[in-house]
Amino acid sequence: MTAAPASAPGGAHRLPAPRPARTLHFVPIINKTRVHSVVPGRRLTALRAAITAFFALDGFIFAGWVVRIPDIKHQTHASTGALGLALLGVSAGAVLTMTMTGRLCRRYGSHPVTVVCMVVLALSVALPPLTHSAPALGAVLLLFGAAYGGVNVAFNSAAVDLVAALRKPVMPSFHAAFSLGGMAGAGLGGLVAGALSPTRHLLGLTVIGLLVTAVAGRTLLRYEPPAPPERTRAPAERADGGTADRRGGRGVVVLFGLVALCTAYGEGAMADWGALHLQQDLAASAGTAAAGYACFALAMTVGRLTGTALLARLGRARTVIAGGGVAAAGMLLGALAPSVWAALTGFAVTGLGLANLFPVAVERAGALAGPSGVAVASTLGYGGMLLGPPAIGFMADWSSLPAALTSVAALAAVAAVLGVSTRRLPGG
């Protein structure tokens, strides 16, 4: 029923008020664009699983290649020096492509770049057994290293976006997946080394890599990266900041990159010199010496698996400060202890301390500057891993290996000091 029209003063009748138009609740198709910052929980879960798979696959493929290096050396008839130069191809390719990959991620998105780089990595790991000279090996390792560096920047960038969307400090869990993948790849490589030739083994890694990429890559290509709120607000917030703010932001990114460098320096040093220290300076058996790096790597994996809870409890800055301090104390024990078991304990403590420093550094650099920040932190970190082994070798020639290994403790302490300077930063 409709109410009767009201009468106006003087007997005149007012016209009925127009009935409000009924609103149709639909959105024109032309305006239905994808919103990066709003991603349902189910999609976030799927993205987390896919990115975790890529981290694990990266560690699995790289470790599978590493365990076959002695066989490749024999196949190419390369001298130790020639092999060392060829292996530099991995490092050179990675460092050269990391900065470029950050730009590609900005232009095309981190998800497609991750998938493409992983496909190249899976294909290129099968190439080293096909070479018959050190120069040819160096050439294919340059491609392998470029893919390895590219995929590391790309999936770390994707992980940074996801961490911001989840609002949980889950970055260490991705790096734990890398560590677990590496342990699985090394273990499988050791098991099949006596039964399969390097060609068949590494071709098998190619098949596994392409299959995992086909499954996990579908998720990354289906969903676009969620844009973190702080990065979407950055242009407005920096509108009046000028050049000084941009330079300050770059300085903070470099600071986190230095934390990554200090951490990776220790990882490279432990991988190349830990076993030799146990065997040469403490008269450990070959088996016990080999267990030295295993203690370090296992402790680092455990530290990363528990890293999310640690970050939630302490925060990022305190985690860096505590981790750097613990690693410094552990490495002093590992380098200067008079007994093998005390040194092994020190190696394990060092792994626990260093476990979450690199993930925090990369995540913070990415949150501040996007893929370019990830590229800067990753490049500096990889540079630290390259710098560590030769630097310790030179210092050992000048003094002694135990004294040289204390440089790992010194840089861990530097990382802790850098952590103090990040306490007032957003997210610190």
Side-chain angles (χ1 to χ4, degrees):
M1 296 178 61
T2 305
S7 296
H13 292 282
R14 253 187 291 179
L15 291 174
R19 182 175 296 175
R22 183 175 298 171
T23 302
L24 298 179
H25 298 283
F26 66 89
V27 180
I29 293 177
I30 192 173
N31 291 328
K32 294 183 74 174
T33 57
R34 296 184 79 175
V35 180
H36 293 249
S37 58
V38 181
V39 180
R42 184 178 300 176
R43 293 186 181 182
L44 291 178
T45 301
L47 283 175
R48 184 175 180 181
I51 294 171
T52 300
F54 276 106
F55 270 85
L57 179 61
D58 185 54
F60 181 80
I61 289 177
F62 192 80
W65 143 249
V66 167
V67 299
R68 301 316 293 254
I69 289 177
D71 297 318
I72 302 298
K73 178 180 182 296
H74 177 74
Q75 177 178 306
T76 57
H77 305 288
S79 66
T80 303
L83 178 66
L85 289 175
L87 292 176
L88 279 177
V90 178
S91 305
V95 170
L96 289 173
T97 57
M98 281 180 170
T99 302
M100 182 179 67
T101 304
R103 296 171 185 163
L104 291 175
C105 288
R106 280 190 175 277
R107 181 168 183 177
Y108 300 107
S110 58
H111 290 182
V113 177
T114 297
V115 174
V116 170
C117 288
M118 187 57 80
V119 168
V120 177
L121 183 70
L123 292 173
S124 61
V125 76
L127 298 179
L130 305 180
T131 61
H132 299 282
S133 66
L137 177 62
V140 301
L141 290 182
L142 189 68
L143 175 63
F144 179 75
Y148 179 74
V151 78
N152 272 266
V153 171
F155 62 42
N156 270 294
S157 299
V160 167
D161 291 337
L162 185 59
V163 168
L166 290 171
R167 299 183 182 276
K168 294 179 182 179
V170 298
M171 194 69 170
S173 67
F174 296 118
H175 288 262
F178 174 84
S179 299
L180 290 172
M183 294 172 66
L188 178 64
L191 289 175
V192 304
L196 294 179
S197 66
T199 302
R200 292 183 177 181
H201 175 203
L202 297 184
L203 182 61
L205 295 185
T206 295
V207 174
I208 293 172
L210 293 177
L211 288 176
V212 174
T213 301
V215 176
R218 290 182 62 187
T219 301
L220 290 191
L221 296 178
R222 185 184 309 155
Y223 303 135
E224 296 187 19
E230 59 267 28
R231 200 180 301 161
T232 58
R233 293 196 301 266
E237 291 174 353
R238 292 196 302 263
D240 299 325
T243 305
D245 285 346
R246 289 195 296 271
R247 287 178 179 174
R250 293 192 194 103
V252 175
V253 169
V254 170
L255 184 148
F256 283 115
L258 292 175
V259 172
L261 183 150
C262 294
T263 307
Y265 178 96
E267 291 186 47
M270 291 299 301
D272 287 14
W273 293 103
L276 183 62
H277 166 59
L278 294 175
Q279 196 167 13
Q280 172 183 289
D281 299 313
L282 299 178
S285 65
T288 303
Y293 182 72
C295 289
F296 171 82
L298 183 60
M300 178 170 279
T301 302
V302 171
R304 287 175 172 174
L305 288 172
T306 58
T308 297
L310 185 67
L311 285 168
R313 184 177 182 84
L314 298 181
R316 295 177 177 90
R318 290 180 180 177
T319 298
V320 172
I321 295 168
V326 168
M331 198 61 234
L332 286 176
L333 176 62
L336 304 178
S339 70
V340 172
W341 298 110
L344 290 174
T345 302
F347 287 1
V349 173
T350 303
L352 284 173
L354 294 179
N356 296 301
L357 270 62
F358 192 92
V360 169
V362 171
E363 187 263 328
R364 282 293 83 198
L368 289 167
S372 296
V374 174
V376 170
S378 299
T379 302
L380 286 172
Y382 207 82
M385 189 169 289
L386 294 177
L387 174 67
I392 288 178
F394 287 126
M395 286 186 284
D397 285 340
W398 180 69
S399 57
S400 67
L401 183 54
L405 287 173
T406 60
S407 64
V408 175
L411 286 185
V414 170
V417 172
L418 293 174
V420 174
S421 65
T422 67
R423 295 185 68 173
R424 295 183 181 180
L425 295 175

